[in-house]
Amino acid sequence: MKRWLFIAAVLANLGFAQTEKLKACFIYVGPVGDYGWTNAHDEGRRLAEKALPWLETKFVESVPEAQAGPFIDKFVQEGCKVIFTTSFGFMDGTLEAAKKYPDVIFAHASGFKRAPNMATYMADFYQIYYLNGLVAGALTKSGKIGYVGAFPIPELKRHISAFALGIREVNPQASVNVKWINAWYDPAKASEATEALIAEGNDIFAFTEDSPSVIQTAAKKKLMSFSHYSPMHKFAPDYVVSGQLVHWDKIYIDFLTKVHNGTYTNKNLEKVDYWWLLGEKAVEMGGQAGMPINPKYIPALKAKMVKDRLTGKTVSVYDLVMSRWKAMAQAKPTFDPFTGPIKDRNGVVRVAPGKIMSIGELNSMEWAAPGIVGAWPNEPK
Amino acid sequence: MEEIFSALARAMAFGTPILLAALGEVVVERAGVVNLGVEGMMAVGALAAFAAAQTSGNPFLGVVAGVLAGGIAASAHAFVSVNLRANQFVSGLALTMLGLGLSGLLGNKYVGAPLEHPLAETGFTWAAVVLSIVIWLVLYFTRTGLVVRSVGENPAAADALGLEVYLVRYGATIFGGMMAGLAGAFLSLAYRPSWSDGMTSGLGWIAVALTIFVAWESIRAVFGAFFFGLLYHLAFRLQGRLPSEMLLALPYLLVIVVLTLAALRRRQGNAPEGLGLPYERGTR
Amino acid sequence: MVRLEFDPNPPGNRVWLVMGLAVLAAIALSSLIFWSYGVPPVTAYLTLFKGTLANPAGIAESFRRAIPLLLIGAGLSLAFRSQFFNIGAEGQLLLGASAATGVALFIPLPAELKLVTMFLAGFLAGGAYALIAALLKSRLGVNEILSTLMLNYIAVYIVQFLVNGPWKGRSLMGFAYTEQFPAAATLPVIGGTLIHWPTLLLGVLLALFLQLILNRSTIGYELRVVGENLEAARYAGINIGRTVLMVAMLSGGLAGLAGVGEAAGIHKRLLDPAQISLGYGFTAIIVAWLARGNPALTIFTALLMGLIFAGGDVMKLNLQMPFRVVDVFSGLLLMFLIGSEPLARYRLKFGRRA
């Protein structure tokens, strides 16, 4: 009986799907069960569906990059009105599809190409990396902090530089040592890169890779780490200090609501580019929701006193983190880590005194902040 | 000094799954069967181990499940290549496809699930080293070893002597599968510890390469695995000074070099004479 | 009484019958696996049918997937016919795609010569890569299955090195892709689909041409003799080494052409090796096996496997099954095909032992 119901459901899905609801469809690059990027997007999709009664969603996971087009074709055939593509590699495929289906609305995550019916969106972590940096700088004993990076792209360079700026603010001698694994998901490489960093004397770790491998590898050696993308606190409750969390649902709900009420149409998306940060609550600091810093490490942070370079007062690192966090977590932030004067690691001035980096500059950032050690492809001279 | 020591320790940890699987393949090929399905058996073993450990909460049960799953997967290869006398190389390839496919399909629900009680890497490493010595002893100093080797070298003569060629080849193939399953269990229970599709990431093929690289000698396999593991580790240590792709490709290149050198010396190295050839009673 | 009797030269129709049974067995066992995954086989096959054969977009996808399978399969069927087990098509495809990228991006050529040169370069690169294994085999007796397998991995790292290093595109914000090919270096597609028809046409023509060579030329004759009986070939004075080299060049070259098609027709750039080919080089082994060494028949068998690839996408979309179902089915099919091969050499005999 159950089986027949299932068959009927599948048939209904294939043939006569009803389209009264707004149908939004998602194309993912990885498996929804990964511990990072795709899982976070799927979480956002589910929360949006829960929050918006008029919304109906569908997704397809682990789509190879060249397959974006054919899957978009299938989704359009099934009556999807809004299609989200969630990988940089889908950019050209999405743009082509936007031209092919002018009546369908597209939104592409992390890219830079738009069209009248194609918007872009991104929830960015650079502020949080800066906050994590303050914490890491205060807790390191060896003065060497390890970073396992996926690919040397501006997004990661921005994050690692923000991390380094935070570290150097409380610990001017400390360094961030970077290893690239050239993969978004490769637990073996991630743990081996961590081991290499451990061997080189690093004692705290942050990373970009869609699995908790770095955390687990570090914890085996009783070393601290920062969680990335998903709540990874539970994989090493004693060693995960903090981390970065994303809430894609904030963007999805906003975007879909505006499509539903007619604010966004297939004609006016050319300039719609979401760049959501702490202020919009699209991102959060912590290794799990609601816990910005692991309580286990709060005493150490409260004990360490530094001079706040903005006010000149001597405060604990804990208070410094909280005051910086407050300054950034509002609609109009009163603080930005990338405020000049900032020199790169080769001594070249990259941000003039008093200037704040623009979104465009952040998105094409190639230089490395002082304190970063390691290969840095495309580094400007 | 400490740096060197830590690099060597990492080399051994990464070398462990390759070593375990290669030890199995050494025995299989010594009995005259080639099984290119190591990657697939390893994947099946990794999933079975993880699923069992996850549901029972007992990682040792996971190890048993991984070993069994690898053995079962190998028996398919044994049937096709020993009984049906089909092309062993292609059969192994099919086993790899099937193993990766099955584990990816049935393992879908375990992706991202954490493992509460992972096992220590070092236990597997020492077990692998001990096993390599045991296999060497058995192969060269016991009757069983003699039987396996004669079946691999000259199945017709072995048959004439009254040895059970089919049975020996079956046993060796299944043993090889169990070792590959153990290697998979190491990956999903100790090295990672978690399950994801494609987590064997080519280690099975490196094990096949290692088997040839060490000329079918189990003791040498320890050093070979160590060496391959070191290359992998150095790919990260030497970043910025050397393209990591170069070091990662080196094991495969070395296998071709070793095969060529052996051929240049006008002999198949240490390769068992009857390797890869199906045997049928009554022929030759 | 019924018993089995050995028959070294089975008649054609029995071979095809046994093969058909092998395919059915693979389908049956796959059903069991679908069931254990929680999807009723009827639903699975119905979904598959609706999404592929009963849907124009599905048919287009099957054709698109069949293109590389056809080119590689046609070459491999020739190689298998002469007992040169080229398992390295995946690597040869990657090298072909790399060579095409090199021509497309870095060699200034008049627009009308661009694509022709790319195909030529792809053929030569793929062929030369296969030639390494062929030379080692014919001169030294190195097992080509092992050498071509290893060469696959080396090709993967070559491509990774190129897209992460010297060939990385400046306009892609550091992502590991080359720049997009100029328009003159991309292949036209049939409107609304991804079928890059020039490659498809090339594949069909080459498959027919290879069949012609195999059946009607001296080279083809020599090739068949080498494959069927090495002793006889030696006795007849056939240059075995040369035959092996030629077969390698052809089958590697065709895999290289498939790589050119994927690069210039689908991706329009070079990118991560796992994205360029979705295992076409291995699936093409099944294509060649199903065609029983007849290049012309790969036109149909490639389409069949293309259909299964497209079906994998449909099942992923509508049943949330991982794309790995394709590997499960392919693995089972290959296993049954080679397992049944020797079975065809037996016949059922009724009556008493003679």
Side-chain angles (χ1 to χ4, degrees):
Chain A
M1 187 59 207
K2 217 170 162 192
R3 197 153 279 137
W4 283 109
L5 281 176
F6 183 73
I7 295 172
V10 169
L11 287 179
N13 225 351
L14 287 173
F16 357 85
Q18 28 171 322
T19 46
E20 282 168 26
K21 289 184 166 184
L22 179 69
K23 190 164 180 181
C25 299
F26 294 73
I27 295 186
Y28 300 140
V29 69
V32 291
D34 73 0
Y35 233 82
W37 180 260
T38 296
N39 186 273
H41 280 281
D42 199 51
E43 182 81 24
R45 175 189 69 83
R46 275 182 277 136
L47 288 171
E49 200 174 52
K50 216 181 267 175
L52 309 172
W54 39 262
L55 182 69
E56 178 191 352
T57 66
K58 190 167 182 183
F59 71 90
V60 57
E61 60 181 334
S62 303
V63 172
E65 293 183 356
Q67 286 299 97
F71 275 109
I72 290 173
D73 289 345
K74 289 191 177 98
F75 273 157
V76 172
Q77 249 181 36
E78 290 182 16
C80 299
K81 293 288 176 255
V82 183
I83 294 175
F84 295 97
T85 53
T86 66
S87 171
F88 182 85
F90 294 149
M91 183 164 69
D92 292 330
T94 312
L95 191 66
E96 269 169 42
K99 287 189 187 126
K100 190 167 159 189
Y101 303 109
D103 296 334
V104 178
I105 286 176
F106 292 90
H108 175 237
S110 78
F112 55 84
K113 291 184 182 170
R114 281 178 291 278
N117 61 333
M118 175 177 165
T120 48
Y121 62 101
M122 183 69 186
D124 199 78
F125 282 148
Y126 78 91
Q127 299 165 317
I128 299 179
Y129 266 107
Y130 164 77
L131 294 173
N132 285 169
L134 295 175
V135 175
L139 292 178
T140 177
K141 290 197 179 67
S142 68
K144 291 171 102 179
I145 292 155
Y147 195 100
V148 177
F151 285 98
I153 58 173
E155 180 189 340
L156 269 78
K157 290 179 174 173
R158 170 171 79 236
H159 292 169
I160 300 169
S161 285
F163 191 50
L165 288 174
I167 291 168
R168 281 276 172 117
E169 192 168 328
V170 297
N171 193 342
Q173 303 306 318
S175 63
V176 182
N177 301 280
V178 183
K179 301 273 184 209
W180 304 105
I181 58 171
N182 286 335
W184 290 113
Y185 178 78
D186 193 327
K189 281 188 181 166
S191 22
E192 222 39 58
T194 313
E195 292 284 2
L197 287 165
I198 293 174
E200 287 164 16
N202 296 278
D203 64 355
I204 303 185
F205 301 87
F207 64 98
T208 321
E209 194 260 345
D210 287 343
S211 83
S213 302
V214 173
I215 288 177
Q216 288 171 317
T217 308
K220 268 189 227 163
K221 302 260 162 74
K222 302 194 186 319
L223 295 172
M224 291 173 269
S225 57
F226 290 86
S227 154
H228 177 68
Y229 235 95
S230 289
M232 297 179 177
H233 173 83
K234 61 178 172 226
F235 287 96
D238 288 339
Y239 299 105
V240 173
V241 181
S242 179
Q244 318 94 41
L245 295 165
V246 72
H247 299 290
W248 288 108
D249 52 298
K250 299 280 188 262
I251 293 180
Y252 287 138
I253 289 173
D254 186 80
F255 189 87
L256 288 166
T257 308
K258 285 179 177 156
V259 170
H260 191 240
N261 67 21
T263 312
Y264 290 159
T265 69
N266 58 345
K267 304 270 188 303
N268 65 2
L269 299 180
E270 188 90 54
K271 293 232 158 61
V272 174
D273 177 24
Y274 282 68
W275 173 258
W276 279 23
L277 308 168
L278 269 175
E280 291 82 9
K281 299 199 167 34
V283 293
E284 183 186 342
M285 175 175 168
Q288 72 178 33
M291 191 213 281
I293 297 175
N294 190 336
K296 211 182 151 222
Y297 293 98
I298 290 176
L301 293 172
K302 282 190 171 156
K304 169 120 179 161
M305 303 304 282
V306 288
K307 200 161 142 191
D308 184 337
R309 66 181 164 93
L310 296 184
T311 61
K313 282 184 202 149
T314 300
V315 292
S316 75
V317 172
Y318 184 81
D319 291 335
L320 182 68
V321 171
M322 287 303 143
S323 74
R324 291 280 193 274
W325 176 75
K326 263 187 209 117
M328 292 192 286
Q330 46 191 337
K332 286 219 184 317
T334 53
F335 173 82
D336 192 286
F338 288 113
T339 307
I342 300 177
K343 285 181 183 170
D344 71 10
R345 66 173 176 180
N346 299 320
V348 181
V349 177
R350 291 295 170 186
V351 190
K355 287 256 192 261
I356 296 177
M357 282 179 81
S358 69
I359 295 177
E361 283 168 335
L362 288 172
N363 265 323
S364 56
M365 184 172 156
E366 295 284 4
W367 50 270
I372 295 174
V373 181
W376 202 261
N378 266 349
E379 185 170 13
K381 285 277 156 351
Chain B
M1 192 60 218
E2 199 186 334
E3 288 233 341
I4 296 172
F5 186 74
S6 74
L8 297 185
R10 284 321 300 161
M12 211 54 244
F14 186 78
T16 300
I18 319 173
L19 176 57
L20 285 170
L23 286 175
E25 189 69 8
V26 163
V27 174
V28 181
E29 297 198 3
R30 281 296 180 128
V33 179
V34 172
N35 189 353
L36 296 183
V38 180
E39 179 86 1
M41 302 186 297
M42 214 190 247
V44 169
L47 173 64
F50 188 81
Q54 171 85 9
T55 32
S56 72
N58 182 346
F60 294 100
L61 224 58
V63 175
V64 174
V67 169
L68 283 181
I72 293 169
S75 59
H77 178 71
F79 180 70
V80 172
S81 59
V82 177
N83 288 96
L84 298 177
R85 294 184 296 281
N87 185 319
Q88 299 180 7
F89 294 92
V90 185
S91 164
L93 218 55
L95 187 62
T96 290
M97 281 187 202
L98 188 58
L100 287 175
L102 260 182
S103 57
L105 186 68
L106 301 178
N108 205 23
K109 57 178 168 250
Y110 295 101
V111 176
L115 189 70
E116 277 182 38
H117 308 286
L119 292 172
E121 282 176 3
T122 41
F124 284 90
T125 306
W126 287 115
V129 173
V130 170
L131 271 170
S132 73
I133 298 169
V134 170
I135 288 172
W136 175 70
L137 288 174
V138 169
L139 275 179
Y140 287 103
F141 300 99
T142 66
R143 193 185 132 72
T144 316
L146 186 66
V147 169
V148 169
R149 283 185 295 132
S150 16
V151 163
E153 292 290 342
N154 192 342
D159 194 18
L161 287 171
L163 302 177
E164 294 282 350
V165 176
Y166 281 19
L167 203 66
V168 171
R169 289 193 159 181
Y170 246 92
T173 307
I174 290 172
F175 175 77
M178 292 165 95
M179 290 296 286
L182 184 62
F186 168 79
L187 290 176
S188 66
L189 300 179
Y191 187 75
R192 283 285 307 278
S194 62
W195 160 259
S196 65
D197 182 23
M199 68 181 287
T200 46
S201 59
L203 288 174
W205 291 112
I206 301 189
V208 172
L210 182 65
T211 310
I212 303 161
F213 184 66
V214 301
W216 300 270
E217 293 286 1
S218 65
I219 301 275
R220 265 194 239 173
V222 178
F223 299 99
F226 194 67
F227 175 59
F228 283 6
L230 194 63
L231 288 177
Y232 192 80
H233 182 71
L234 287 181
F236 296 100
R237 291 302 290 276
L238 300 179
Q239 199 166 71
R241 274 164 276 182
L242 210 61
S244 56
E245 291 87 1
M246 223 168 87
L247 288 170
L248 295 174
L250 209 51
Y252 307 103
L253 194 63
L254 283 175
V255 169
I256 297 180
V257 171
V258 165
L259 282 173
T260 310
L261 286 179
L264 272 177
R265 274 182 266 128
R266 285 283 155 223
R267 57 193 180 88
Q268 276 290 52
N270 207 5
E273 285 286 325
L275 187 60
L277 304 171
Y279 173 68
E280 183 181 359
R281 271 202 102 140
T283 55
R284 259 194 279 191
Chain C
M1 220 182 113
V2 186
R3 64 195 167 81
L4 286 172
E5 187 172 274
F6 187 66
D7 176 6
N9 293 309
N13 49 4
R14 189 189 319 138
V15 173
W16 290 107
L17 177 76
V18 168
M19 238 176 68
L21 289 175
V23 175
L24 282 181
I27 293 177
L29 207 57
S30 304
S31 306
L32 209 70
I33 290 166
F34 295 159
W35 191 281
S36 71
Y37 182 72
V39 174
V42 186
T43 317
Y45 290 117
L46 211 61
T47 313
L48 200 80
F49 177 75
K50 288 209 168 200
T52 52
L53 289 174
N55 181 332
I59 293 176
E61 271 296 283
S62 309
F63 267 94
R64 203 262 289 182
R65 294 313 194 53
I67 296 172
L69 293 174
L70 167 60
L71 276 163
I72 305 172
L76 288 188
S77 58
L78 207 66
F80 293 168
R81 202 60 181 267
S82 62
Q83 298 285 313
F84 179 73
F85 285 100
N86 177 6
I87 309 292
E90 195 78 7
Q92 292 141 20
L93 181 154
L94 289 176
L95 271 254
S98 306
T101 307
V103 174
L105 294 179
F106 307 111
I107 297 184
L109 279 173
E112 54 274 11
L113 287 181
K114 202 91 186 185
L115 278 168
V116 180
T117 317
M118 283 162 69
F119 273 112
L120 212 64
F123 181 87
L124 290 177
Y129 207 51
L131 222 48
I132 300 174
L135 274 171
L136 289 175
K137 180 191 168 97
S138 68
R139 293 286 157 82
L140 302 169
V142 172
N143 182 322
E144 77 277 17
I145 296 182
L146 297 173
S147 58
T148 50
L149 261 173
M150 299 301 146
L151 287 169
N152 279 340
Y153 275 95
I154 296 172
V156 164
Y157 288 113
I158 291 175
V159 173
Q160 273 186 2
F161 170 72
L162 289 175
V163 295
N164 281 305
W167 284 9
K168 190 196 277 184
R170 284 267 151 180
S171 72
L172 285 130
M173 301 176 55
F175 282 91
Y177 302 88
T178 66
E179 297 291 358
Q180 194 161 11
F181 291 179
T186 58
L187 287 164
V189 291
I190 295 176
T193 71
L194 285 175
I195 305 173
H196 38 112
W197 59 267
T199 326
L200 180 61
L201 190 68
L202 188 68
V204 172
L205 290 178
L206 281 174
L208 295 175
F209 176 67
L210 289 186
Q211 188 73 53
L212 208 68
I213 287 188
L214 190 64
N215 290 356
R216 297 289 163 84
S217 73
T218 325
I219 305 170
Y221 166 76
E222 292 183 353
L223 194 155
R224 279 180 285 145
V225 176
V226 169
E228 275 154 30
N229 191 333
L230 215 54
E231 283 303 309
R234 245 178 233 127
Y235 192 73
I238 294 172
N239 187 337
I240 297 168
R242 203 193 60 195
T243 311
V244 168
L245 293 188
M246 194 198 61
V247 163
M249 188 69 209
L250 275 176
S251 69
L254 258 68
L257 291 180
V260 181
E262 293 305 292
I266 305 285
H267 305 285
K268 304 186 176 81
R269 53 166 50 106
L270 197 67
L271 66 168
D272 186 68
Q275 300 279 350
I276 298 173
S277 168
L278 306 169
Y280 294 128
F282 292 111
T283 312
I285 295 169
I286 307 177
V287 169
W289 212 278
L290 277 171
R292 302 201 59 79
N294 295 301
L297 286 184
T298 57
I299 297 172
F300 303 101
T301 54
L303 259 177
L304 179 77
M305 291 312 289
L307 191 82
I308 287 167
F309 265 92
D313 279 344
V314 173
M315 292 169 89
K316 181 157 81 181
L317 185 69
N318 288 316
L319 303 172
Q320 311 295 350
M321 288 177 90
F323 192 72
R324 286 285 190 190
V325 283
V326 171
D327 287 319
V328 173
F329 185 75
S330 302
L332 282 175
L333 187 58
L334 189 55
M335 196 75 114
F336 279 111
L337 279 176
I338 56 159
S340 66
E341 186 97 339
L343 286 184
R345 296 205 192 92
Y346 288 87
R347 57 178 164 226
L348 287 176
K349 193 85 176 168
F350 297 93
R352 289 168 171 279
R353 192 178 284 260

